[in-house]
């Protein structure tokens, strides 16, 4: 299965992605994680994007698309993959579509996790990542509202978007994701 998980900062994308990817035996591809690794290793890419990550701004589309394109060429992605935090803009979504089309593939499902903004800020401030400051959180919410909401419209039109209520415990959310995936396709997820 080829899946995308979309949600605001603090929606639990990382945790849920790990779980889904494990259950479906597909790789979990987090662009945020790839970029953080590049920054901590001080690679050329890391030097280019470090400031933006620290400010909670999006990295330019071509940089992040190249990263994903390279990763999708790896043999472990043949049987499917779960993208976490990518695409984040309509432009990225179009580029992803083109990458997949070249390989005669398309996305199966886009899951959007919805959580109340107050709950999100609480969660983020407890997480303690370097880009989890009050100011950066605000910026990332703003970015999400402006960029990512149009992205969702794009996928809604393609009728592959499903929403997940992200309020509740980790297991409750996982259960909702499980039934959404099972209902959407004939894929069983335990
Ligand atoms: P995340 O771990 O998904 O919250 O991403 C952390 C940070 O990495 C974001 O605030 C952006 O600076 C950057 N980032 C991650 N994914 C993308 C993307 N698809 N496009 C642009 N920037 C991204």
């Amino acid at each position: 299965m080829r899946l995308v998980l979309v949600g605001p900062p603090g929606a639990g994308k990382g945790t849920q992605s790990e779980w889904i990817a494990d259950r479906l035996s597909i790789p979990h591809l987090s662009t945020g994680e790839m970029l953080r690794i590049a920054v901590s290793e001080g690679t050329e890419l890391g030097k280019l994007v470090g400031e933006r990550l620290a400010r909670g701004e999006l990295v330019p589309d071509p940089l992040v698309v190249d990263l994903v394109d390279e990763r999708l060429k790896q043999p472990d992605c043949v049987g499917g993959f779960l993208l976490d935090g990518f695409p984040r803009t309509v432009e990225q979504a179009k580029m992803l579509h083109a990458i997949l089309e070249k390989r005669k593939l398309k996305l199966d499902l886009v899951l959007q996790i919805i959580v109340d903004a107050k709950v999100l800020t609480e969660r983020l401030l407890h997480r303690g990542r370097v880009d989890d400051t009050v100011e950066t959180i605000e910026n990332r919410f703003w970015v999400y509202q402006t960029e990512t909401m149009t992205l969702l419209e794009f996928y809604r039109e393609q009728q592959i978007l499903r929403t997940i209520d992200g309020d509740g415990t980790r297991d409750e959310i996982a259960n909702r994701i499980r039934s959404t995936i099972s209902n959407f396709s004939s894929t069983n997820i335990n």
Side-chain angles (χ1 to χ4, degrees):
M1 237 192 153
R2 287 174 291 275
L3 290 169
V4 168
L5 198 62
V6 183
K13 289 193 301 289
T15 316
Q16 295 299 340
S17 295
E18 297 253 333
W19 178 83
I20 305 166
D22 183 59
R23 293 306 155 105
L24 293 175
S25 300
I26 51 176
H28 166 209
L29 316 182
S30 157
T31 44
E33 198 56 39
M34 294 179 206
L35 293 166
R36 277 189 290 280
I37 291 172
V39 172
S40 70
E41 288 180 349
T43 64
E44 282 304 310
L45 173 69
K47 286 181 203 149
L48 276 173
V49 302
E51 295 247 307
R52 285 178 187 264
L53 250 77
R55 287 198 297 260
E57 292 168 9
L58 291 187
V59 165
D61 291 334
L63 293 182
V64 76
V65 169
D66 275 357
L67 206 58
V68 171
D69 191 12
E70 282 307 311
R71 184 62 186 85
L72 290 180
K73 286 180 187 154
Q74 302 300 312
D76 62 338
C77 295
V78 168
F81 50 79
L82 170 66
L83 283 165
D84 159 12
F86 178 93
R88 262 178 157 92
T89 63
V90 174
E91 203 46 47
Q92 291 180 11
K94 288 183 178 163
M95 292 188 198
L96 173 64
H97 182 82
I99 289 171
L100 294 176
E101 205 171 34
K102 267 193 293 186
R103 298 169 204 170
K104 303 209 176 347
L105 300 173
K106 57 186 176 58
L107 286 177
D108 294 305
L109 181 61
V110 177
L111 296 171
Q112 176 199 5
I113 305 186
I114 298 176
V115 195
D116 186 75
K118 257 192 271 161
V119 178
L120 291 173
T121 312
E122 276 292 299
R123 281 194 201 163
L124 286 172
L125 290 174
H126 281 96
R127 190 166 71 173
R129 215 168 71 186
V130 280
D131 58 347
D132 286 340
T133 62
V134 174
E135 221 175 54
T136 314
I137 289 170
E138 259 179 33
N139 194 33
R140 278 153 59 213
F141 278 150
W142 185 83
V143 168
Y144 183 75
Q145 289 298 337
T146 50
E147 297 277 7
T148 314
M149 291 313 228
T150 29
L151 166 75
L152 294 171
E153 206 42 57
F154 177 80
Y155 285 131
R156 193 170 294 124
E157 277 169 16
Q158 293 177 27
Q159 302 185 347
I160 55 170
L161 180 72
R162 293 291 179 277
T163 54
I164 308 283
D165 175 5
D167 195 13
T169 65
R170 202 178 56 182
D171 288 350
E172 283 165 348
I173 302 165
N175 274 330
R176 291 178 200 136
I177 293 177
R178 184 207 315 262
S179 48
T180 303
I181 292 178
S182 306
N183 286 340
F184 186 82
S185 66
S186 49
T187 307
N188 270 326
I189 176 166
N190 300 307

